[in-house]
Amino acid sequence: MTSRRLSYNVALTLVLSALIAGCSVEKNTGASRFYHSLISKYNIYFNGYEAYKAGTAKIISSHRDDYSSLLPVFEYTTPEAASVSGADMERAIQKASKLIALYSITAKPEEKKRGERTPADETFYNRREYNQYVDDSYLLMAKAQFHQKNFRGARATLSYNLGLTTDPDITKESAVWMARIYTEEGNYQEAERQLKGISDLEGSSLALKAMAYATSADIALRQKKYGEAIEYLTAAIENSNDKHTRVRLTYLLAQTCGEGGEDALSTK
């Protein structure tokens, strides 16, 4: 019985090894795409994203608002934010880099043996990346670099990913983070241009709309454009599903109305 069980285990190991070998990143098949996407999502990307969430939670919990002045739209703007979240953001970057290095699929799939290519086929064959979690990983890396205040690195990562991704949601979110980079650098004109370039913002998810409107509010407040800030803060509050964010932005909205006076209120 022991001998039979041993033989069965050996056979099973050989079968599994063969299946995994057939799912090499050097081959682009339906099986290989499914296998590497599965491993990417539930192993490496999950852990990287958990580290990123832990880092952002530390930024929020360590932040102390000064209610005697206008609150910052985002807690990450303080100099201390990078050091508080540094270890978690570095872990997120390492996980994203590992996923890209191990599970990126750039080999082209086999051509159809019969028939001509359809437009959908053409789009598929011309992709630069076939693991759907690689562009997610680049975005995660850029966001972590941003929180480390490595704005040059974050911008380079986002720019590369925009040439790689075919996901419209990632393209839109990347524009928001690009705008935040330019805002932190004081380039408000370019930050506004990035946000205005987002296609179909109103048709996007509530989370993305809340991100974009809050970013626009941040840009306006830094330039003391209180009327615009009121409009954007109101929209960010309406679209946000995070209680903490809604409470902070509602208080900031009241502060902004007081700061801008009648002129700000008349533009609402």
Side-chain angles (χ1 to χ4, degrees):
M1 182 67 69
T2 303
S3 178
R4 289 181 180 178
R5 184 175 299 170
L6 181 61
S7 298
Y8 171 79
N9 289 336
V10 170
L12 181 60
T13 300
L14 291 172
V15 170
L16 290 174
S17 298
L19 286 173
I20 292 172
C23 290
S24 165
V25 293
E26 301 299 325
K27 297 181 179 180
N28 187 344
T29 64
S32 67
R33 292 193 296 273
F34 173 79
Y35 173 78
H36 291 295
S37 293
L38 189 68
I39 296 297
S40 298
K41 179 179 180 179
Y42 292 107
N43 186 3
I44 304 176
Y45 183 80
F46 174 82
N47 292 326
Y49 191 66
E50 287 297 303
Y52 174 78
K53 288 196 298 182
T56 55
K58 288 176 183 176
I59 292 173
I60 293 171
S61 63
S62 65
H63 179 79
R64 296 294 178 268
D65 281 317
D66 177 7
Y67 294 97
S68 64
S69 58
L70 283 176
L71 303 184
V73 176
F74 303 110
E75 292 94 339
Y76 63 64
T77 56
T78 62
E80 299 79 18
S83 59
V84 168
S85 64
D88 294 300
M89 295 304 169
E90 187 59 34
R91 177 172 170 79
I93 291 171
Q94 290 173 358
K95 290 296 182 180
S97 300
K98 182 179 179 180
L99 188 154
I100 294 164
L102 295 180
Y103 296 108
S104 173
I105 302 175
T106 58
K108 295 297 182 184
E110 291 185 6
E111 296 275 2
K112 277 188 173 182
K113 294 182 178 180
R114 296 181 181 179
E116 296 182 0
R117 284 186 183 180
T118 66
D121 290 335
E122 199 70 39
T123 300
F124 180 74
Y125 285 120
N126 288 331
R127 288 171 59 174
R128 293 174 56 192
E129 176 59 54
Y130 291 89
N131 183 336
Q132 61 181 315
Y133 287 97
V134 165
D135 53 3
D136 291 272
S137 296
Y138 275 115
L139 179 58
L140 176 62
M141 184 190 299
K143 289 156 64 173
Q145 290 171 323
F146 174 89
H147 285 297
Q148 290 180 327
K149 299 194 183 299
N150 178 9
F151 302 133
R152 178 179 294 181
R155 180 165 46 243
T157 303
L158 286 172
S159 296
Y160 180 82
N161 199 32
L162 284 170
L164 186 75
T165 186
T166 58
D167 187 333
D169 290 334
I170 288 181
T171 299
K172 294 176 186 179
E173 187 174 348
S174 295
V176 174
W177 285 99
M178 277 288 199
R180 292 183 179 187
I181 291 170
Y182 285 114
T183 301
E184 292 299 305
E185 293 176 335
N187 190 345
Y188 305 128
Q189 183 176 0
E190 182 58 28
E192 290 173 348
R193 190 186 73 80
Q194 290 288 331
L195 292 173
K196 289 178 180 177
I198 298 176
S199 61
D200 189 29
L201 178 59
E202 288 306 312
S204 303
S205 67
L206 291 178
L208 183 63
K209 287 193 284 187
M211 286 178 60
Y213 290 132
T215 305
S216 292
D218 188 28
I219 297 168
L221 283 171
R222 292 180 188 229
Q223 300 177 86
K224 302 186 186 304
K225 296 179 179 179
Y226 299 115
E228 290 183 17
I230 289 172
E231 179 182 349
Y232 290 130
L233 284 170
T234 301
I237 294 165
E238 290 174 349
N239 287 280
S240 177
N241 59 6
D242 180 75
K243 182 178 179 181
H244 171 78
T245 299
R246 290 200 307 271
V247 169
R248 285 192 75 256
L249 294 188
T250 299
Y251 189 89
L252 177 56
L253 175 60
Q255 287 182 310
T256 305
C257 289
E259 192 74 22
E262 293 182 1
D263 291 339
L265 290 172
S266 65
T267 62
K268 183 178 177 182

